[in-house]
Amino acid sequence: MVATQPLLRPDEDPLATATEGRLALPALEQSVKSPTDDDQRADEIHLVEDAPLERHIDDYGLPYRSVKTKKVITYASALLSCICAGSIMIFALYAPQFQTHLGYSQVQVNLLSILGEAGMYLTTPIVGISADVYGSAVLSFIAAILFGTAYSLAAWTYASNLPYFAMMISYLLIGGGTACMYFGSITACAKTFTSNRGLALGLPITAYGLSSLWQTQIAALFFIDRQSGEVRVPALFTFFAIFLATIGLTAAVGYHFGYKPDVEFTADKKVQPLAVRLGRDEETPLLDDHGRFVVPTGNSSLAAEEVDIDDEDDSETILLSRRQMILAFSRDWTAWGVALALFATIGPGEMFLNNMGSVIRSLSLPRPSAPTNVSIIAFSSASMRIIGGVVSDHISTKQGRRYSRMLVVLFFTTLLVFGHSFVALGGLQVSSGRWFWTVSASLGAGYGAIFTLAPTIVSLVWGTEQFGTVWGLLFVFPAVGSMVYELIYATIYDYNAHDEHLCYGLNCYQTTFVITGTSCVLAVIVWSCVWRLGWQRRGLFI
């Protein structure tokens, strides 16, 4: 059993009231002069709990310009990282050449994609905790090393036709580098900006989506063999090795000199003990910005471990260790609902992104252009990331009647249902691929918007102080979904393949898209249950 200390009631200790706000100010203890001043200052902090950070800084005489400059540096570093981090998303552009030049089967090609996603997603619990504990600068530095090593090895493997195992290692490291660069950026933004969260998170996530758009164009302009029309893969990989390593190091320097909430506003950089507060406030997240897990009274999920509570403490607050918080989080059924919905939406989206090239090749002539559709996916994904974030902020905070962000989530999930169902019903085959752009646009838009809205909702429901840990735990499930759906696609494709591991016709992909379309319908149901039967009944407005 982990022994914990009960918090003093706010009326007994004004500093406890102060720490109930969004920020813990180390200078507060020195600024308190008298009991009257204590009560006044504590009340002020409690009242401005949801105010922008700049107001707190101005109220307490902290260096506004210095902190503002640091926040700009941090945000610029996050945007720079995200706009360059999505190299793994252009896999479909050159994936067919692994079959034609290296003789890989479709299962082997998809396994490389799966390993990249495994390196990106399955490491997120560790990466998320590292982001909370060590900061974004360390993650960005690690990303620079991983990208430089991975793409150099991949270029060498392709050019020299090294054993398949070497390419597997390369893509595993590429996924790890992507996770470190992406998570470092998103965590930095989530902790730096606690108002307008949809926009604050939407911009870097949009930048991440745009990264594949400009990288596709760079590949088409400078790394395409004009005679054969194929990508010069070793040259492209060498470019990524040098470029991404440089970006990672640059961003690490930016994060180091940028805004660090734990350093600016807490006395100890180490992660403080977490707390569970039993509350029913409509606007209170389940895990607040000081790591306090907020759940309805009587919720059995808190019985993860026995906790000592002062019988006279009526503040309904319990201190928890990080491990206890994770156990309590894991017993919240809405967390599992979110995990299942991400599994059933992001997984099929990743499958389509990585196998679009083989789907196009299975169509009859004239076939749509793969680079063009990669660009369509990137543009629709990027634009809906920012639009989805802005719209969700607007409808949930406007004056008068407010609407839940979950309505936006359900709309884009329904868009995914349309895209997968169109392919499953043979729309591509009937139109000879002329309507392929509608599939690319709808699936790209739905995939991108959910990628923005999901972390925004996570930050609202479970708070931002331990955002990296919570989002890292949930981020595992899209990875598992990607692996499952890609294995399904590859198995069905190879089963119907002819000579040289190539497949042509509707049988190559129809069954797969029936499965993915059904999964997206399931996601609509799950999102609705989590929203209506979970958060809404707990009094949470999302």
Side-chain angles (χ1 to χ4, degrees), residues 156-358:
W156 183 27
T157 302
Y158 189 97
S160 303
N161 199 11
L162 297 180
Y164 178 72
F165 181 76
M167 191 67 79
M168 294 172 65
I169 296 296
S170 300
Y171 273 86
L172 190 62
L173 296 179
I174 290 172
T178 304
C180 290
M181 188 170 284
Y182 176 80
F183 247 80
S185 303
I186 298 303
T187 303
C189 293
K191 293 188 176 185
T192 301
F193 303 95
T194 57
S195 59
N196 295 323
R197 303 187 193 202
L199 180 60
L201 292 176
L203 284 176
I205 295 175
T206 299
Y208 178 76
L210 286 172
S211 62
S212 62
L213 177 61
W214 73 261
Q215 287 169 359
T216 300
Q217 299 306 315
I218 290 294
L221 288 174
F222 300 104
F223 298 99
I224 293 288
D225 189 311
R226 300 307 173 188
Q227 294 182 348
S228 64
E230 295 182 336
V231 178
R232 292 186 286 114
V233 178
L236 181 63
F237 285 171
T238 302
F239 165 75
F240 279 141
I242 299 172
F243 177 75
L244 293 177
T246 303
I247 294 298
L249 294 175
T250 303
V253 174
Y255 290 134
H256 178 74
F257 291 102
Y259 178 79
K260 295 182 283 292
D262 293 339
V263 174
E264 301 290 342
F265 295 102
T266 61
D268 188 357
K269 188 176 179 181
K270 295 181 180 179
V271 176
Q272 303 296 326
L274 306 175
V276 170
R277 184 175 60 212
L278 307 180
R280 307 177 188 84
D281 186 0
E282 182 181 70
E283 299 293 340
T284 303
L286 297 183
L287 183 63
D288 73 11
D289 286 345
H290 281 292
R292 296 180 179 86
F293 206 110
V294 184
V295 293
T297 303
N299 193 325
S300 60
S301 67
L302 295 178
E305 290 191 18
E306 186 178 351
V307 183
D308 295 331
I309 310 174
D310 188 352
D311 293 337
E312 297 180 356
D313 181 16
D314 58 0
S315 64
E316 295 189 286
T317 303
I318 307 170
L319 289 176
L320 291 184
S321 67
R322 181 184 298 276
R323 186 167 69 90
Q324 288 174 308
M325 182 275 291
I326 293 175
L327 288 174
F329 172 77
S330 68
R331 297 191 180 189
D332 181 1
W333 73 268
T334 64
W336 289 101
V338 172
L340 178 59
L342 292 175
F343 175 96
T345 52
I346 302 299
E350 295 276 4
M351 182 277 298
F352 177 76
L353 290 176
N354 293 320
N355 293 281
M356 185 188 66
S358 62

Side-chain angles (χ1 to χ4, degrees), residues 219-511:
L221 288 174
F222 300 104
F223 298 99
I224 293 288
D225 189 311
R226 300 307 173 188
Q227 294 182 348
S228 64
E230 295 182 336
V231 178
R232 292 186 286 114
V233 178
L236 181 63
F237 285 171
T238 302
F239 165 75
F240 279 141
I242 299 172
F243 177 75
L244 293 177
T246 303
I247 294 298
L249 294 175
T250 303
V253 174
Y255 290 134
H256 178 74
F257 291 102
Y259 178 79
K260 295 182 283 292
D262 293 339
V263 174
E264 301 290 342
F265 295 102
T266 61
D268 188 357
K269 188 176 179 181
K270 295 181 180 179
V271 176
Q272 303 296 326
L274 306 175
V276 170
R277 184 175 60 212
L278 307 180
R280 307 177 188 84
D281 186 0
E282 182 181 70
E283 299 293 340
T284 303
L286 297 183
L287 183 63
D288 73 11
D289 286 345
H290 281 292
R292 296 180 179 86
F293 206 110
V294 184
V295 293
T297 303
N299 193 325
S300 60
S301 67
L302 295 178
E305 290 191 18
E306 186 178 351
V307 183
D308 295 331
I309 310 174
D310 188 352
D311 293 337
E312 297 180 356
D313 181 16
D314 58 0
S315 64
E316 295 189 286
T317 303
I318 307 170
L319 289 176
L320 291 184
S321 67
R322 181 184 298 276
R323 186 167 69 90
Q324 288 174 308
M325 182 275 291
I326 293 175
L327 288 174
F329 172 77
S330 68
R331 297 191 180 189
D332 181 1
W333 73 268
T334 64
W336 289 101
V338 172
L340 178 59
L342 292 175
F343 175 96
T345 52
I346 302 299
E350 295 276 4
M351 182 277 298
F352 177 76
L353 290 176
N354 293 320
N355 293 281
M356 185 188 66
S358 62
V359 173
I360 290 176
R361 191 177 52 204
S362 68
L363 301 175
S364 57
L365 296 174
R367 301 184 183 113
S369 169
T372 298
N373 278 276
V374 170
S375 299
I376 291 174
I377 291 175
F379 177 78
S380 61
S381 175
S383 60
M384 289 303 108
R385 288 174 198 234
I386 186 64
I387 292 174
V390 171
V391 169
S392 68
D393 279 344
H394 175 70
I395 67 173
S396 63
T397 59
K398 69 177 183 177
Q399 299 297 326
R401 180 173 175 79
R402 296 188 297 171
Y403 297 91
S404 174
R405 286 176 169 86
M406 293 303 298
L407 294 174
V408 185
V409 173
L410 291 174
F411 169 78
F412 282 105
T413 306
T414 304
L415 201 60
L416 290 176
V417 173
F418 164 77
H420 287 282
S421 299
F422 182 83
V423 180
L425 295 174
L428 295 180
Q429 206 70 25
V430 172
S431 64
S432 299
R434 287 191 301 272
W435 292 98
F436 200 96
W437 66 271
T438 62
V439 177
S440 300
S442 60
L443 295 185
Y447 171 84
I450 290 176
F451 239 121
T452 297
L453 295 170
T456 302
I457 289 171
V458 167
S459 70
L460 289 168
V461 176
W462 290 284
T464 59
E465 180 64 22
Q466 305 302 324
F467 172 82
T469 301
V470 174
W471 184 230
L473 292 171
L474 289 174
F475 216 54
V476 172
F477 292 89
V480 177
S482 299
M483 296 177 191
V484 170
Y485 291 109
E486 289 204 39
L487 284 175
I488 291 174
Y489 177 88
T491 302
I492 294 174
Y493 184 97
D494 280 347
Y495 178 79
N496 293 281
H498 304 291
D499 297 335
E500 299 180 353
H501 303 291
L502 300 179
C503 180
Y504 301 95
L506 186 61
N507 292 334
C508 301
Y509 57 82
Q510 184 176 38
T511 303

